[in-house]
Amino acid sequence: QSLPPKARAPRVEDKNAVTTIQAEDISGRPEREITLERDAELLKDKTRVKADTACYRQVEDEVEAKGNVKIWRFGDYFTGDELKLNMDSGQGYMLNPTYRLEANHAQGKAERINFINEDEAVVVNGTYSTCQGPTPDWYLRSNTLNLDSGRDVGTAGKTIIYFKDVPILGTPALSFSLSGARRSGWLSPMPGFGSKGAAELTVPYYFNIAPNRDLTVYPKIIPRRGFQLGANGRYLGQTDGGLYQGETYVEYLPHDKQYVPTTPGGSTDRWTIKSTHAQELSKDWSYGWSIRAASDNNYPNDFSKTVSSSTERQLLRELRTDYHGDFWTLTARVQKYQVLQDPESVVDKSLFVSRPYDRLPAINFHAAQYDVAGGFDWAVDSELTRFYHPTLINGTRLVAIPQVSYPIVGPSYFITPKVMVNLGSYQLDSFGTQKSDNLSRAVPTFSLDSGLVFERDTKIGGKDVTQTLEPRLFYVNTPYRDQSQFPTFDTDAATFNFSQIFSENRFVGSDRIGDANQLTAALVSRFLDAAGAETLRLAFGQRFYFRDQRVQLASTTPVVDSRSDMLLAATGRISETWGFDSAVQYSPSQRRVVSESYTAQWMPGQKKVLNLGYRYLRGSFKNLEVSSQWPIFQRWYGVGRVSYSMQDKKILESLVGLEYNADCWVFRMGAQRFVTTSTKASTPIFFQLELNGLSHLGVGSPLEAMKNSIPGYQRLNEGYGR
Amino acid sequence: CGFHLRGDGGHYTLPFPTMYIGLPEASPLAIDLKRNIRANGGTTVVNASKDADGVVEVISDPEKTRTKTILSLNSNGRVRQYLLSYNIVFRVLDKQGKELLGSTQILLTRPIDFNETQLLAKEQEEALLYKDMQTDLVQQMMRRIAAIKPQQVSLPPPAPAAPGR
Amino acid sequence: EKADANKPTTINYDDLQIDDVKQIKTLIGNVVLTRGTLLMKSPKAVMTTDPEGYDFVVLTSTAGTPATFRQKRDGAGDQWVEGEAERIEYSNKTDLVKLFSKAKIRRLEGGRLSDEVDGEFISYDSRKEQFAVKNSVTGESKPGAGRGTMVIQPTIRPTAPAAPTPPATEK
């Protein structure tokens, strides 16, 4: 059970292989010692030695060779002046050798190589590089270099890294991996610019504790703030109960010189924690936690360098346990939120970060069986939740939703009548002027879902495809029950999209059960190629209301339109290079578009992609996006992304990058800019020199930034480690 | 315009009398896939891969590779849309381990609007969207498996047209 | 074996021509020379005896039938050496066998081949059990004149002398 390093075939030599010796002059005593003169060669299973002179001791299975010695062994290749090798134990040495390893095609030369066993060799005063040719662009020189292809580990003593013969880095000890897998030791230092451009330097150290445990420590110096220590621990394991795994990241900076505590004299320690853990206690029972917390509201602004971390202001702490029966599951969760209020919200109310309800606890029970008693499906979903909020009404809610349906399914049709009841009871604490109260409700719902599937063979883009035409009708009838005095703990209107137009309730959450007498109609057409893959899907959907919708979230005025918005969608990959995705929600009553999104992807070849996107949601955003990875000229590649808000006429997010791909190293540089508040933006810059198979030195993590911002981005040096 | 109802022996019957799904027992995808295979008729699900004619080997389990990335920001730098992705890499082998359907990736994505004020509701909507992607994924997997040409796979006589299943 | 050194030499042949003056005997047809465990055969042989009475034999092959020799070796087990060449020279004074052009020597143990050497010239000293392979028919070692080859079969573990070779053992 270990974290997934690359599997490597064990290096085993067949002790009973035939040994073939050739030379111009062979003499000696068989089974004792045989000397070979001029053009000597010895071949045994995975080892082949050529030299001017050699001698072979058969009993010890040992070969000595002198004079431009060449040896091929297990895919590695060495040359040198003198060789001594015991093929039984794999031990021996070689004088002023050059070597080329099978892993990463690494090569180098040295004063001496000591062979420890089939997998391990120690290179004395030697160089190491993954560049080919006699003058490698970069190489590492070290007094002791331990190459262990068995465990993919390479550790070096006092080491200097040369790039184009210029020493760019010296470290007391450097560990690197022969093929990108994990290894203990100092990682390369990472100078950088914090979220507000403050200079910083971190020199991470990696402990490869065990195949299934590792710890990375990030000591970081931020001149303006102080000394920060980060640590990331990962573990994976097995008990007799079952699997467990988890990861915990902690960052701690004592006495931040730049931080003004909210309460005078308060602590100026800054920290954050992010921890997940999942463990199976038995085949059916598991538990886990997911904890996120930070020391103060300014933490995201001061310490985050990526878009995602700078927008996380509602931090969840959750402890949960799940139990699976054969057809039911029981889940108990405790959830608490920490809100990092945006300091700017004091000025700009629209930036206020709302605080969600805590669930202390929430117990869910779900049971379902299919094809019971002659074709019936039944299911029960129930939840007991204690909602807590510092400033809003608190209460305990019990909800139970039993449902029964009778699906009639054939290859070309289905009809599914379903009956369900939503039983709910609330115990509300006293709140301000209201005293504590008990409320309950029972809302029945009947629904009938039906659909047909038509098919025909046709052609698209010259390819034979099967086109389906799938009409579907979904009728829902739910009587009106006044729910205006029920609080909305976890409920909101569901967005109107294809995933949700076929659910019975137009609200998400259990505090509102929408009254309904409505029919949802949809038509989907798919184009399936010979292998059954969907190359194109067209869809249309609309809902017809036969009665006004009286249940609302807060307002009491019913909504009276007889027809819902129209939904149109088309998505597909109609050729090897072209793919697109589009969806429109059009409101006939207001005669305008509520939301639309069009994206197209053009991928004409390797490392060439162009994405275009337009996304609009009324009253929220109207963004245009362009992103691309494109070869510019010979080995130079350009990377770019712009996300422009047409509504506010400003660029929300942009990224510009250049990459140079040499055979054995990649240089990346560029800058990213994203809006953090209405007036402020963060502009982390990155430049990085990645020596294939060794490590990467530089600022920031450009690879992740590029991968996340450009769909279809391909890494230039595929196959080299992380 | 050439459309006809999808016939009984149409594109939807599976070419394997017995099948095995290489996913953990409690995984919702496994439960949904097994239910659809049983509902398809003519194919039973077995618990051991050695007695299955069709073995679905899951190379990358979608439950473990779910991603949620930021899709759109508003002018205040707040997230207004996430993109949820749910993808599987699987292949189908026969009893002897010969590959009938090579390594196939099916990648599904759904955008989800977001607003800090609706965090708990969005959490449940996210679960609904993943459930919807899972159902869509099962349909697409069934079609891919049904499209496997059964060279030497033997089929039991078609079950009588039972009304329900 | 070393014991062959003090064994009588007997030679059979079809025809014999003797030149008493130069003490040269020429034997033709199915020549078979035996001395203890040493056995040498060839279609034709010329034998000269030096003043001290030591014999020097040159066996020559004709097309298709090479001159051969076979001798038991000291040491445990049923170990034999056998060789063949277009011309073999043997002197019972030095007990040295020299094989010239397309020479081959095989060592067998219990009927199983343990190693095999071939080259243009091979000399084998049965007393010291030493051999040498040269790459020219004259017996000198000329640079760049091709190479001799030796193929050594895996040694049988002493624990199972006659058993088939044990499977490849993990290191």
Side-chain angles (χ1 to χ4, degrees):
Chain A
Q1 191 61 43
S2 66
L3 294 176
K6 247 187 220 157
R8 168 171 295 284
R11 287 181 155 190
V12 173
E13 190 164 37
D14 172 9
K15 291 290 165 271
N16 291 316
V18 164
T19 311
T20 311
I21 294 178
Q22 284 186 309
E24 287 187 5
D25 189 326
I26 303 177
S27 60
R29 284 165 54 93
E31 286 182 355
R32 293 294 176 279
E33 191 174 281
I34 302 155
T35 39
L36 300 83
E37 304 290 341
R38 290 196 313 282
D39 195 1
E41 181 170 345
L42 178 140
L43 177 65
K44 177 170 183 181
D45 193 28
K46 305 253 185 344
T47 309
R48 180 161 163 254
V49 179
K50 275 171 77 72
D52 294 347
T53 66
C55 91
Y56 176 62
R57 282 183 281 281
Q58 186 174 348
V59 173
E60 296 90 349
D61 196 5
E62 201 168 78
V63 60
E64 275 185 52
K66 289 190 176 62
N68 43 61
V69 182
K70 296 186 181 63
I71 169 168
W72 294 262
R73 186 159 161 73
F74 293 114
D76 299 338
Y77 170 61
F78 305 85
T79 67
D81 297 346
E82 200 181 310
L83 163 76
K84 181 169 191 287
L85 176 66
N86 179 313
M87 285 189 279
D88 197 17
S89 67
Q91 282 161 354
Y93 66 85
M94 202 164 186
L95 298 186
N96 45 59
T98 71
Y99 65 89
R100 167 189 301 287
L101 300 180
E102 180 189 22
N104 277 352
H105 311 301
Q107 54 128 339
K109 51 185 179 323
E111 263 174 41
R112 179 189 171 98
I113 288 187
N114 294 327
F115 299 114
I116 314 285
N117 54 44
E118 271 86 0
D119 299 318
E120 274 182 81
V122 176
V123 177
V124 179
N125 288 337
T127 67
Y128 171 92
S129 167
T130 55
C131 301
Q132 310 314 311
T135 59
D137 283 348
W138 64 265
Y139 57 89
L140 162 152
R141 176 179 298 284
S142 165
N143 46 25
T144 60
L145 199 57
N146 178 317
L147 306 176
D148 175 354
S149 59
R151 283 190 302 118
D152 280 337
V153 169
T155 51
K158 197 175 66 54
T159 312
I160 299 172
I161 297 182
Y162 293 84
F163 183 70
K164 304 265 187 195
D165 284 327
V166 171
I168 57 170
L169 178 77
T171 67
L174 181 73
S175 80
F176 55 92
S177 100
L178 296 183
S179 62
R182 301 167 12 256
R183 67 271 175 254
S184 297
W186 291 101
L187 302 182
S188 47
M190 289 191 273
F193 297 93
S195 57
K196 292 209 178 64
E200 57 184 44
L201 175 70
T202 175
V203 184
Y205 189 87
Y206 177 81
F207 294 94
N208 181 11
I209 302 167
N212 56 1
R213 277 185 183 25
D214 70 17
L215 174 70
T216 314
V217 174
Y218 300 90
K220 179 190 283 189
I221 304 137
I222 308 173
R224 288 196 203 145
R225 294 188 186 280
F227 173 79
Q228 181 190 53
L229 187 64
N232 185 46
R234 296 188 304 175
Y235 52 87
L236 183 74
Q238 184 130 21
T239 63
D240 41 26
L243 297 174
Y244 66 89
Q245 69 177 21
E247 179 163 357
T248 299
Y249 175 73
V250 176
E251 243 178 36
Y252 179 68
L253 190 149
H255 315 309
D256 177 351
K257 289 180 261 176
Q258 257 193 331
Y259 178 63
V260 173
T262 45
T263 57
S267 146
T268 57
D269 295 352
R270 316 289 301 278
W271 52 267
T272 187
I273 179 167
K274 182 175 184 187
S275 170
T276 59
H277 175 80
Q279 174 156 0
E280 287 170 353
L281 297 169
S282 75
K283 194 172 76 60
D284 305 322
W285 189 20
S286 64
Y287 84 96
W289 68 69
S290 156
I291 292 169
R292 299 258 356 240
S295 56
D296 55 276
N297 289 345
N298 289 343
Y299 204 89
N301 301 35
D302 295 349
F303 289 101
S304 67
K305 287 207 275 292
T306 62
V307 183
S308 55
S309 60
S310 85
T311 55
E312 266 175 319
R313 288 188 168 279
Q314 294 165 315
L315 308 182
L316 169 67
R317 297 168 213 177
E318 177 186 64
L319 184 64
R320 69 179 294 160
T321 179
D322 297 75
Y323 188 87
H324 298 281
D326 41 19
F327 63 88
W328 52 274
T329 55
L330 186 65
T331 308
R333 290 179 303 169
V334 175
Q335 283 185 337
K336 217 170 164 21
Y337 281 93
Q338 174 190 9
V339 171
L340 304 178
Q341 197 43 260
D342 186 340
E344 308 269 332
S345 67
V346 171
V347 169
D348 173 355
K349 275 288 162 270
S350 72
L351 292 177
F352 180 75
V353 179
S354 64
R355 188 193 190 300
Y357 272 94
D358 291 344
R359 292 185 173 108
L360 303 166
I363 300 166
N364 295 61
F365 173 77
H366 166 79
Q369 276 191 316
Y370 304 103
D371 196 6
V372 176
F376 285 91
D377 289 3
W378 68 268
V380 170
D381 280 279
S382 67
E383 186 187 49
L384 171 67
T385 319
R386 165 73 186 156
F387 287 99
Y388 165 80
H389 195 281
T391 58
L392 297 176
I393 185 168
N394 294 349
T396 307
R397 180 186 72 189
L398 172 63
V399 172
I401 310 168
Q403 59 175 300
V404 175
S405 59
Y406 186 80
I408 303 165
V409 180
S412 62
Y413 61 87
F414 71 91
I415 303 158
T416 312
K418 178 195 287 189
V419 176
M420 57 198 281
V421 180
N422 185 306
L423 308 165
S425 91
Y426 290 67
Q427 255 181 341
L428 302 177
D429 300 357
S430 59
F431 179 69
T433 58
Q434 283 173 299
K435 32 188 197 28
S436 68
D437 193 357
N438 285 4
L439 302 167
S440 67
R441 70 176 176 237
V443 184
T445 296
F446 165 74
S447 74
L448 180 67
D449 195 356
S450 60
L452 291 172
V453 180
F454 295 93
E455 277 182 358
R456 72 172 176 178
D457 293 331
T458 176
K459 270 196 187 323
I460 182 168
K463 268 196 317 186
D464 290 338
V465 286
T466 308
Q467 182 189 2
T468 73
L469 199 59
E470 299 163 43
R472 183 174 177 184
L473 290 176
F474 177 61
Y475 173 74
V476 176
N477 191 315
T478 307
Y480 167 69
R481 290 288 186 281
D482 177 12
Q483 296 160 49
S484 52
Q485 71 281 44
F486 287 91
T488 52
F489 290 127
D490 65 355
T491 298
D492 225 296
T495 33
F496 190 74
N497 59 33
F498 273 105
S499 311
Q500 304 204 10
I501 54 177
F502 294 109
S503 53
E504 282 81 2
N505 193 354
R506 60 178 183 277
F507 295 100
V508 169
S510 309
D511 295 321
R512 286 294 182 276
I513 296 100
D515 61 320
N517 181 358
Q518 65 197 30
L519 180 68
T520 307
L523 188 65
V524 174
S525 175
R526 302 170 211 269
F527 293 75
L528 308 169
D529 68 13
E534 218 177 76
T535 54
L536 180 63
R537 176 195 299 199
L538 308 174
F540 165 79
Q542 185 167 28
R543 189 180 283 166
F544 301 92
Y545 301 106
F546 307 129
R547 201 170 58 206
D548 301 344
Q549 296 107 55
R550 299 172 59 187
V551 173
Q552 297 304 329
L553 274 176
S555 87
T556 52
T557 55
V559 169
V560 289
D561 13 343
S562 66
R563 281 186 305 158
S564 78
D565 294 350
M566 272 196 278
L567 286 175
L568 292 131
T571 166
R573 180 160 284 283
I574 42 172
S575 78
E576 279 319 306
T577 56
W578 270 103
F580 70 93
D581 195 340
S582 61
V584 176
Q585 181 181 343
Y586 174 76
S587 158
S589 55
Q590 299 148 3
R591 247 191 279 304
R592 56 192 170 146
V593 169
V594 172
S595 91
E596 56 188 332
S597 87
Y598 307 97
T599 58
Q601 183 177 69
W602 181 43
M603 241 171 151
Q606 284 289 341
K607 302 183 175 65
K608 272 185 191 166
V609 65
L610 177 62
N611 303 300
L612 302 166
Y614 167 74
R615 274 179 241 287
Y616 165 71
L617 177 61
R618 200 143 59 78
S620 182
F621 56 84
K622 185 175 184 182
N623 294 351
L624 199 62
E625 262 173 40
V626 181
S627 66
S628 170
Q629 172 189 27
W630 208 263
I632 300 172
F633 140 86
Q634 279 173 352
R635 290 172 173 278
W636 286 97
Y637 289 81
V639 171
R641 173 192 165 89
V642 175
S643 170
Y644 174 75
S645 159
M646 299 162 80
Q647 197 174 293
D648 312 292
K649 303 275 181 298
K650 73 175 186 179
I651 292 182
L652 302 173
E653 203 191 324
S654 60
L655 178 133
V656 168
L658 265 175
E659 287 185 289
Y660 181 82
N661 179 20
D663 297 338
C664 54
W665 53 274
V666 170
F667 177 72
R668 295 187 187 92
M669 65 181 176
Q672 188 175 19
R673 181 180 166 79
F674 50 88
V675 172
T676 53
T677 64
S678 50
T679 53
K680 288 215 190 71
S682 164
T683 324
I685 69 163
F686 47 76
F687 56 88
Q688 183 182 61
L689 172 66
E690 180 170 0
L691 308 179
N692 291 356
L694 184 62
S695 67
H696 30 73
L697 336 155
V699 167
S701 51
L703 203 52
E704 281 68 37
M706 291 178 184
K707 234 184 271 177
N708 291 340
S709 339
I710 293 124
Y713 168 82
Q714 280 171 323
R715 181 186 171 137
L716 298 188
N717 50 359
E718 256 337 300
Y720 275 104
R722 293 182 303 283
Chain B
C1 51
F3 278 107
H4 56 275
L5 273 176
R6 175 187 285 165
D8 255 351
H11 292 284
Y12 212 61
T13 48
L14 301 179
F16 303 113
T18 56
M19 281 186 74
Y20 168 76
I21 306 295
L23 275 169
E25 201 77 23
S27 130
L29 177 63
I31 295 167
D32 202 355
L33 196 54
K34 287 176 188 164
R35 189 158 63 87
N36 269 276
I37 291 174
R38 282 193 205 96
N40 186 273
T43 307
T44 54
V45 178
V46 293
N47 300 345
S49 59
K50 53 185 174 12
D51 3 321
D53 299 312
V55 175
V56 175
E57 185 197 65
V58 174
I59 297 161
S60 124
D61 181 350
E63 295 298 328
K64 295 196 175 62
T65 57
R66 292 178 175 197
T67 64
K68 176 179 173 183
T69 51
I70 295 174
L71 196 54
S72 316
L73 297 174
N74 70 2
S75 54
N76 294 336
R78 288 291 160 70
V79 177
R80 282 298 165 265
Q81 240 185 359
Y82 282 108
L83 186 69
L84 309 178
S85 96
Y86 190 79
N87 93 82
I88 189 170
V89 178
F90 75 101
R91 59 187 192 139
V92 179
L93 313 172
D94 66 10
K95 215 172 252 186
Q96 293 77 18
K98 192 168 72 61
E99 201 174 71
L100 296 175
L101 172 66
S103 170
T104 311
Q105 175 177 34
I106 301 178
L107 172 66
L108 299 172
T109 60
R110 295 286 192 277
I112 176 170
D113 300 340
F114 179 76
N115 190 310
E116 290 83 6
T117 57
Q118 311 159 327
L119 186 69
L120 296 189
K122 287 301 172 188
E123 194 186 88
Q124 296 168 76
E125 196 171 325
E126 200 177 291
L128 281 172
L129 286 176
Y130 275 119
K131 179 84 182 72
D132 178 66
M133 283 195 271
Q134 177 198 300
T135 318
D136 190 353
L137 181 70
V138 165
Q139 295 307 329
Q140 295 204 24
M141 280 177 79
M142 293 284 286
R143 274 194 224 96
R144 297 285 180 96
I145 297 171
I148 295 176
K149 294 291 166 290
Q151 292 92 353
Q152 79 289 10
V153 173
S154 59
L155 256 181
R165 288 282 166 279
Chain C
E1 282 172 345
K2 294 191 181 56
D4 294 347
N6 41 40
K7 287 272 178 28
T9 312
T10 60
I11 304 180
N12 307 347
Y13 48 83
D14 295 349
D15 302 322
L16 171 62
Q17 292 155 3
I18 300 174
D19 172 346
D20 267 335
V21 169
K22 291 188 199 119
Q23 284 292 329
I24 296 174
K25 300 186 187 68
T26 310
L27 311 97
I28 299 160
N30 298 325
V31 177
V32 175
L33 180 149
T34 53
R35 190 176 182 215
T37 64
L38 174 63
L39 169 71
M40 299 174 88
K41 286 187 206 160
S42 76
K44 179 170 176 295
V46 172
M47 195 164 119
T48 54
T49 316
D50 69 9
E52 293 116 10
Y54 283 107
D55 303 331
F56 177 73
V57 184
V58 174
L59 302 100
T60 52
S61 69
T62 56
T65 51
T68 63
F69 93 99
R70 196 164 183 282
Q71 188 174 27
K72 193 168 187 319
R73 289 181 58 223
D74 294 329
D78 173 20
Q79 296 191 20
W80 287 85
V81 166
E82 56 186 44
E84 61 182 63
E86 282 181 356
R87 189 172 100 250
I88 296 183
E89 289 176 2
Y90 170 68
S91 141
N92 58 16
K93 179 178 172 207
T94 62
D95 245 335
L96 202 58
V97 177
K98 289 185 180 162
L99 302 95
F100 293 84
S101 99
K102 297 196 188 64
K104 269 200 177 52
I105 280 193
R106 278 185 294 281
R107 279 188 317 120
L108 302 113
E109 197 173 338
R112 205 182 66 74
L113 179 66
S114 61
D115 53 59
E116 181 182 8
V117 181
D118 62 85
E120 281 310 299
F121 166 83
I122 302 179
S123 72
Y124 177 68
D125 174 342
S126 59
R127 285 200 198 111
K128 296 199 214 85
E129 289 205 336
Q130 290 220 331
F131 75 97
V133 184
K134 306 292 181 209
N135 61 0
S136 74
V137 178
T138 60
E140 296 113 9
S141 179
K142 291 204 194 71
R147 304 190 298 183
T149 310
M150 175 175 189
V151 176
I152 305 171
Q153 297 303 328
T155 52
I156 304 173
R157 289 288 174 273
T159 53
T165 54
T169 50
E170 291 298 313
K171 186 181 75 60

